[in-house]
Amino acid sequence: MPSHNGMREISVSSSIQRRDLMRVGAGATLATLAQTSVRQAKAQDNKAQVLAGATGAFDDGTVRQIAKRLASAPYKGPDQSLPKAIENLNFDQYRGIAYREDRALWHSDNLAFDVEFFPRGFLYKPRIEIFEVNDGQSAAVPYSSDLFTYSDPALEVQQDLGFAGLRLRTAINTPGVMEEFCVFLGASYFRAVAKGQNYGLSARGFANGTGDPKGEEFALFRAFWLEKPQPNVKSVVIHALMDSPSVTGAFSFTIRPGDTTVFDVQSTFFPRTAIQQPGVAPLTGMFYFDANDHNHVDDWRPAAHDSEALQMWTGAGQQLFRPLRNPLDLQISAFNDVSPRGFGLMQRRRQFQDFEDLALNYEKRPSLWIEPIGDWGEGWVDLVEIPTPNEVNDNIVSFWRPKAPLAAGKEYSFTYRMYWGWDNPFPTSLARIGATRVGSVVDDKNARFFAIDFVGTPLEHLPLDTHLHLVPQASAGTIRNVVVEPNPNVKGWRTTFEFVPGDEKVAELRAVLATDSGPISEEWLYRWTP
């Protein structure tokens, strides 16, 4: 599987610039109020043009028709203007504006779900239109400032500001207790959890130019339609309109929370311009360090990450496991495939001792598996690993990249299922990688020591006389001193080897555990860099 290495360092920062809060007092001039009215009128005209057909009769094709019409016209972004009092909120001020639980949409309707909304401000300034669909009719969800409580009363603005996003709630952990399990907020980002989990990685509607030195375009979910569920129905349907200078999109999400939270996703894209680096079903998370990549991090914990590996099941049936890294330079890997069975960013470490973090609970963060529905043809599973100096930044991105660029004026549809949960949703008959550890070789500073644990039911029932061996490969450098031995502590086997890179600056390593009859494990992949 081909890969390439981009040596340009990308700086990714989510630091927040703090500004003094500015307010509009009672002494605002008539001229200021008049200018505000003009801006609001223009924004309303723009919204009316963009979202024509958003209210009234609604069916499964409504959002698709809006997206198709939008793609034929120049891009016009949503309103981002905010009153002076809230235009520069910092994190604490924004967090101090909270939705009233008793005002949630469907709160008093005795349904399995209700919906709360986020205020605009801080990093979330675009006005996102929200509609409710009931009996085939769509109507705007009305905004009012008294839907929220305010830690600082001065931040309450008597104006139709609209919303920034939404959160879904259900009784996912305790009967009768409504808890948040899914959020759509910021660009085309969304995230979810299964029962007993904490938030971790996110998904996006679309990726465009990820890892490109010229910069990435972030599309925006600018409107949502929430179908009111029937009583006793355990799923909820959300439609979303995506928009950006390069592409529009229509999404339908059928969401079923539980021990694994499942999204059935139907997406259709209408490029305004040719898109050379499209990313379908993008996943975004954080990898700071683990035992396989700890030498540049001085931290007291054994690991810190949302996800530990990219896992892939290819169309040919290969099961691949690629531990993540926090590299010193931007790294982009492309894994060629035809009609992939699935891929995902996975978190297999599930014990507190794996992280030792009482506050962040990385062991409770979801894995996210993408199952393509239908034939996605030829393309690549891309993995982008961006250097990060801390665990604040999302520095890992993975997605499906079709072989052919998306052409302007065409229509492209992708259907897939997302599994937010504790593991890959499909059982395997193969042994699995339980851990990857990398360190120095005591008597050779030019070599690296690798230890890979293989675990799983297939290894627990092997005949006592089974001969196991590791089959390692390296695209550059030399592998030596291969050892395979039982590891009763994990009811599996430990394999070790030394890797000598020589003068090489990058090498692709792979290994599989085998008997005399052939491989019995998923395939371990690894990109080595200094």
Side-chain angles (χ1 to χ4, degrees):
M1 294 184 179
S3 62
H4 60 278
N5 175 30
M7 299 307 293
R8 179 184 176 93
E9 182 170 345
I10 302 294
S11 175
V12 178
S13 174
S14 59
S15 62
I16 302 163
Q17 183 179 1
R18 297 182 177 271
R19 301 185 180 97
D20 293 332
L21 179 64
M22 301 181 66
R23 303 174 182 171
V24 176
T29 65
L30 291 176
T32 300
L33 294 176
Q35 292 169 1
T36 301
S37 298
V38 170
R39 288 197 301 268
Q40 291 173 344
K42 290 181 178 178
Q44 290 299 319
D45 288 344
N46 180 36
K47 183 180 78 171
Q49 295 171 15
V50 169
L51 294 178
T55 58
F58 185 93
D59 60 31
D60 289 343
T62 298
V63 180
R64 179 184 168 278
Q65 291 302 318
I66 295 174
K68 184 176 182 179
R69 174 176 50 78
L70 273 183
S72 65
Y75 174 72
K76 295 180 180 179
D79 178 30
Q80 298 197 48
S81 61
L82 289 170
K84 292 284 186 180
I86 60 171
E87 68 177 353
N88 291 313
L89 297 181
N90 61 34
F91 172 75
D92 291 329
Q93 291 168 327
Y94 184 77
R95 188 174 57 176
I97 304 174
Y99 199 86
R100 296 179 183 270
E101 184 174 353
D102 61 344
R103 300 295 298 274
L105 184 67
W106 311 326
H107 175 73
S108 302
D109 295 331
N110 196 30
L111 302 177
F113 303 91
D114 64 21
V115 191
E116 298 182 344
F117 303 101
F118 289 95
R120 293 170 62 200
F122 184 49
L123 302 177
Y124 313 108
K125 294 187 176 182
R127 178 174 181 141
I128 308 303
E129 303 301 329
I130 311 286
F131 304 92
E132 180 189 16
V133 179
N134 195 0
D135 293 331
Q137 294 291 312
S138 170
V141 175
Y143 173 86
S144 172
S145 63
D146 64 8
L147 293 172
F148 301 90
T149 61
Y150 303 84
S151 59
D152 181 353
L155 300 182
E156 182 173 4
V157 177
Q158 300 294 330
Q159 196 169 312
D160 183 10
L161 298 178
F163 304 111
L166 62 95
R167 60 163 64 95
L168 292 173
R169 303 196 315 160
T170 194
I172 191 169
N173 292 308
T174 306
V177 178
M178 301 295 278
E179 295 181 67
E180 172 185 332
F181 74 94
C182 174
V183 165
F184 289 83
L185 180 66
S188 67
Y189 282 89
F190 58 101
R191 58 182 183 169
V193 293
K195 182 178 180 180
Q197 292 187 326
N198 299 333
Y199 281 129
L201 80 170
S202 300
R204 282 192 274 166
F206 190 73
N208 185 1
T210 305
D212 192 320
K214 293 182 292 186
E216 180 175 2
E217 178 183 275
F218 289 87
L220 173 73
F221 282 146
R222 65 182 305 165
F224 294 96
W225 289 259
L226 314 174
E227 290 194 22
K228 186 174 183 178
Q230 295 299 312
N232 301 316
V233 172
K234 302 302 183 182
S235 63
V236 63
V237 178
I238 294 180
H239 305 268
L241 173 66
M242 192 189 76
D243 199 7
S244 78
S246 298
V247 63
T248 69
F251 286 77
S252 175
F253 302 94
T254 301
I255 304 171
R256 302 186 299 277
D259 293 329
T260 298
T261 292
V262 180
F263 286 40
D264 289 333
V265 184
Q266 295 176 297
S267 63
T268 304
F269 303 106
F270 301 92
R272 286 189 172 97
T273 62
I275 300 176
Q276 301 298 321
Q277 301 178 61
V280 177
L283 316 178
T284 300
M286 180 277 297
F287 181 90
Y288 184 29
F289 70 95
D290 202 335
N292 69 297
D293 190 12
H294 203 164
N295 53 314
H296 300 297
V297 176
D298 184 12
D299 195 286
W300 59 272
R301 298 164 298 177
H305 48 70
D306 289 336
S307 310
E308 66 184 90
L310 169 67
Q311 186 180 357
M312 295 164 280
W313 283 16
T314 72
Q318 289 177 288
Q319 298 181 32
L320 310 176
F321 189 81
R322 162 64 155 79
L324 300 175
R325 295 199 62 193
N326 178 9
L328 294 179
D329 299 290
L330 173 70
Q331 303 283 340
I332 302 177
S333 303
F335 302 92
N336 182 251
D337 201 3
V338 179
S339 301
R341 297 187 185 185
F343 66 95
L345 292 177
M346 312 306 288
Q347 185 82 313
R348 289 183 176 175
R349 302 291 192 93
R350 292 303 180 190
Q351 302 299 317
F352 171 76
Q353 292 79 9
D354 293 328
F355 301 97
E356 293 286 349
D357 196 315
L358 289 169
L360 298 177
N361 297 122
Y362 287 114
E363 71 277 5
K364 295 182 179 180
R365 302 198 175 194
S367 294
L368 177 51
W369 183 256
I370 304 297
E371 178 193 6
I373 306 298
D375 185 0
W376 281 17
E378 188 173 357
W380 297 267
V381 174
D382 277 9
L383 174 64
V384 181
E385 297 166 297
I386 304 169
T388 182
N390 53 50
E391 59 201 298
V392 175
N393 305 317
D394 279 347
N395 65 317
I396 302 296
V397 186
S398 185
F399 49 81
W400 173 254
R401 176 165 55 93
K403 181 178 180 180
L406 305 190
K410 301 292 185 178
E411 177 179 335
Y412 302 87
S413 294
F414 295 89
T415 300
Y416 53 98
R417 186 165 288 137
M418 312 177 77
Y419 299 86
W420 307 76
W422 298 97
D423 203 346
N424 183 308
F426 302 105
T428 176
S429 60
L430 298 178
R432 309 205 313 166
I433 283 84
T436 301
R437 299 178 175 88
V438 182
S440 62
V441 175
V442 175
D443 57 354
D444 187 347
K445 66 179 181 180
N446 297 315
R448 300 297 289 168
F449 184 86
F450 283 77
I452 309 167
D453 283 341
F454 290 88
V455 298
T457 303
L459 297 179
E460 298 175 19
H461 302 290
L462 289 174
L464 294 176
D465 60 349
T466 300
H467 175 240
L468 285 175
H469 57 279
L470 187 72
V471 183
Q473 300 176 40
S475 64
T478 303
I479 291 175
R480 69 188 188 192
N481 297 337
V482 179
V483 176
V484 178
E485 57 187 337
N487 183 352
N489 299 286
V490 297
K491 297 181 180 180
W493 288 72
R494 172 161 293 176
T495 65
T496 63
F497 61 86
E498 296 173 4
F499 172 64
V500 185
D503 295 330
E504 302 294 337
K505 298 301 181 184
V506 61
E508 303 290 348
L509 309 180
R510 59 177 61 213
V512 63
L513 189 66
T515 67
D516 293 338
S517 300
I520 62 166
S521 75
E522 60 188 0
E523 189 168 354
W524 174 87
L525 307 177
Y526 197 82
R527 169 170 285 182
W528 174 86
T529 55

